Amino acid sequence: MDTNSPTVRVGVVGYGHLGQFLVDKLLKAGPGLGLVLGFVWNRSPDKLKGSVPPELILDDLSFFANRRCDVIIEVCHPQIVRDFGLEFLSNSHFMVGSPSALSDPDLNQKLRQASLHCGRTLYIPSGALWGGKDIQRMNDTGTLKALFIRMSKHPSCLRLTRDILNDWTEGEGRRVLFRGSVADLCPLAPNNVNTMAAAAMAAETLGFTGVQGEIVSDTALKDFHVVEVEVTGPDGFLVHTVRRNPAKLGAVTGSATYNSFWNSLLAY
């Protein structure tokens, strides 16, 4: 970010591990980079007390516009994107930390239209996606033929909307939970497959229906998540990457993703 540019006010929606990281970076490093924390909102406001300066706590998200932020970062849940996305874009640029919400084609289209109509930008941070810009370049040049992403995590790190993992036991090893289109995967694991959703946004010609994904439970993955991306182009072109993202047991987001979000904000 150009430190000579005017100050940018940032609102953070969500105060989980990722939200806490972003708030801490904004308070400590933000001013020197031209970034100022405008507000922090969390579903449970008590979690903010003692950690966030009282004047920066927003109790009711409906009043976010009063804080006059230039960009709002959502890092909590896809439902916030559904409920407030259009309102956010009518006042600010919007960085979507839960792009799985955009698997809903109606919402996706409405947010894109609002972005154009309001002259605001809808940002999708790269998160845990490796090679996202390369995928986007292939998409834009018409050379992207297929895209597959596999995400493997310890079962304690998975948050599923269906009871397909309730019977897991420590030491059982690897279990494929679902394989199919990212459009079908997003409602199943909305908090776990945002990397896949970001890839589907980069691969716009394939979209959420055309990009394929697989989610795997693996009790051997006690220290990291694994993200595999397979990109297919013309004439036998193929790239297969494997990324290990350090993560504690029970963590939905790997630790390397935190800095990825911060860097996405600096590129704003």
Side-chain angles (χ1 to χ4, degrees):
M1 177 174 289
D2 181 3
T3 56
N4 294 318
S5 64
T7 298
V8 174
R9 288 176 59 81
V10 182
V12 177
V13 180
Y15 199 65
H17 294 302
L18 178 53
Q20 291 171 37
F21 173 84
L22 292 173
V23 168
D24 184 66
K25 292 286 282 187
L26 283 164
L27 288 173
K28 294 178 179 177
L33 297 168
L35 298 171
V36 173
L37 183 61
F39 74 82
V40 185
W41 176 88
N42 191 58
R43 183 176 57 181
S44 302
D46 289 344
K47 190 175 181 181
L48 303 175
K49 295 177 181 177
S51 300
V52 177
E55 67 275 13
L56 295 178
I57 296 175
L58 182 63
D59 293 320
D60 188 339
L61 190 55
S62 299
F63 295 104
F64 75 90
N66 294 342
R67 300 301 180 100
R68 300 184 180 279
C69 288
D70 300 290
V71 58
I72 293 175
I73 307 176
E74 172 275 320
V75 283
C76 52
H77 194 277
Q79 192 60 46
I80 294 296
V81 183
R82 300 185 191 101
D83 293 344
F84 287 93
L86 293 174
E87 292 183 59
F88 288 161
L89 282 169
S90 68
N91 291 271
S92 311
H93 301 297
F94 182 29
M95 185 174 290
V96 183
S98 301
S100 61
L102 303 179
S103 63
D104 177 344
D106 183 56
L107 177 64
N108 192 322
Q109 184 64 22
K110 285 181 177 178
L111 289 174
R112 288 173 183 265
Q113 290 175 345
S115 174
L116 292 173
H117 177 74
C118 299
R120 309 289 185 180
T121 304
L122 183 68
Y123 291 96
I124 309 298
S126 57
L129 178 63
W130 190 260
K133 289 184 178 179
D134 297 298
I135 292 170
Q136 190 171 33
R137 278 193 288 268
M138 289 183 66
N139 175 84
D140 294 345
T141 56
T143 57
L144 181 64
K145 302 303 180 184
L147 179 59
F148 171 76
I149 302 137
R150 177 184 293 113
M151 299 188 70
S152 303
K153 302 183 179 185
H154 188 275
S156 68
C157 300
L158 294 169
R159 306 289 184 267
L160 308 178
T161 58
R162 282 166 32 195
D163 297 334
I164 59 174
L165 193 57
N166 288 351
D167 60 342
W168 74 273
T169 57
E170 199 62 71
E172 73 175 22
R174 187 176 184 275
R175 190 199 305 190
V176 176
L177 301 176
F178 190 91
R179 181 180 177 123
S181 74
V182 173
D184 292 330
L185 266 170
C186 284
L188 172 65
N191 293 319
N192 289 117
V193 297
N194 286 309
T195 297
M196 295 185 187
M201 293 294 287
E204 187 176 1
T205 55
L206 297 174
F208 283 84
T209 301
V211 176
Q212 299 297 296
E214 181 177 283
I215 191 164
V216 177
S217 165
D218 191 342
T219 55
L221 300 180
K222 298 180 184 296
D223 301 310
F224 51 83
H225 303 160
V226 177
V227 181
E228 299 174 69
V229 180
E230 186 174 282
V231 183
T232 303
D235 304 319
F237 177 88
L238 182 70
V239 175
H240 182 196
T241 63
V242 180
R243 182 177 191 259
R244 292 188 176 188
N245 192 353
K248 296 179 181 179
L249 288 175
V252 173
T253 304
S255 59
T257 304
Y258 298 170
N259 279 317
S260 176
F261 266 79
W262 176 248
N263 290 330
S264 293
L265 176 60
L266 295 183
Y268 153 79

